[in-house]
Amino acid sequence: MTVNLPPQPVPTTELAVDELLQEVDGVVVDWDGTVVDNAEIRLSALQQALAPYGVDVDPQWYALNCGLPIREVIARLAGQRTLPVEEIVPSSRRLLLGGPPPRLIDSTIDLLRRAEALGLPRAVASAAAGVLIHPVIDRLGLGELLPVVVTAESVTRGKPAPDAYLEAARLVERAPARCLAVDDAPDGITSALEAGMRVLAVREGLLVPVPGLLPG
């Protein structure tokens, strides 16, 4: 399944968001680029970790692949080369966690707070490692808003497989078809669609209804 986001995002209105929330039983969100705007600091950390090995990371390429687990990103960047992945990953994580906290994406946080007010269960379904998510949730005070967290360690297959979103639905005890997913990356959107969820995309900080991504 190939997912193409529109070049000019049209934001979902508050009314449309409220209508969607009335039609679902739970909300599952991606983390990187969906709850937190951390693309630049993630890219910078990875670039610094890979620099000693002569590997450059093109920002446009990274924007299309940042939804993948970091080991998969490194494997794609490596090509035919052999890189010391178990040294690069901890280095990138230290650089990422050692910096300032990421900025929250207001549109996603607003949706989550609206869902919370309606009593809908909420969960994170991320391809990132738990060590990169749990400390930041605590640091930003999001524990009550996002009480359930599915990470790379929680499932066998990463995105674009549907496993993370299916596991999140299982943990909040809701049918996947009755959940609204929010994700920013093509692989993540594919993952949510494969799980059978309704989907909103995040584009330039906005919640975007993409044609064909909101099944009735």
Side-chain angles (χ1 to χ4, degrees):
M1 179 184 297
T2 300
V3 175
N4 295 310
L5 301 186
Q8 295 298 324
V10 178
T12 303
T13 65
E14 291 184 3
L15 177 60
V17 167
D18 286 340
E19 290 177 348
L20 274 174
L21 292 177
Q22 293 289 343
E23 297 173 2
V24 298
D25 297 330
V27 176
V28 184
V29 296
D30 178 45
W31 177 252
D32 296 316
T34 299
V35 175
V36 290
D37 182 7
N38 61 354
E40 290 187 6
I41 58 177
R42 289 171 62 208
L43 172 59
S44 176
L46 184 60
Q47 287 174 326
Q48 292 179 65
L50 286 169
Y53 308 99
V55 179
D56 187 32
V57 185
D58 177 72
Q60 291 186 335
W61 181 92
Y62 184 73
L64 295 174
N65 292 274
C66 62
L68 297 171
I70 187 171
R71 286 175 172 80
E72 177 65 20
V73 171
I74 293 171
R76 294 189 181 190
L77 288 167
Q80 300 301 314
R81 291 169 291 185
T82 300
L83 296 175
V85 176
E86 298 311 317
E87 295 179 13
I88 295 169
V89 171
S91 175
S92 177
R93 288 176 177 172
R94 282 194 299 271
L95 290 163
L96 183 57
L97 292 174
R103 185 182 68 82
L104 292 172
I105 294 178
D106 293 337
S107 59
T108 304
I109 296 299
D110 178 66
L111 180 144
L112 288 168
R113 296 204 185 283
R114 290 169 184 266
E116 181 183 35
L118 291 170
L120 298 177
R122 303 158 310 281
V124 169
S126 175
V131 69
L132 296 178
I133 300 177
H134 292 292
V136 183
I137 285 179
D138 292 340
R139 192 175 181 184
L140 296 174
L142 297 177
E144 292 187 7
L145 193 62
L146 292 168
V148 175
V149 180
V150 174
T151 67
E153 298 88 352
S154 307
V155 295
T156 302
R157 299 182 300 170
K159 299 174 182 180
D163 300 34
Y165 279 103
L166 291 174
E167 177 65 5
R170 185 187 73 82
L171 290 175
V172 300
E173 300 182 336
R174 297 295 187 270
R178 295 291 301 168
C179 290
L180 173 65
V182 186
D183 208 303
D184 70 305
D187 281 326
I189 293 170
T190 299
S191 173
L193 287 171
E194 292 289 351
M197 296 185 179
R198 306 183 71 166
V199 182
L200 284 174
V202 177
R203 186 83 188 280
E204 298 178 13
L206 305 174
L207 298 182
V208 181
V210 181
L213 298 190
L214 291 173

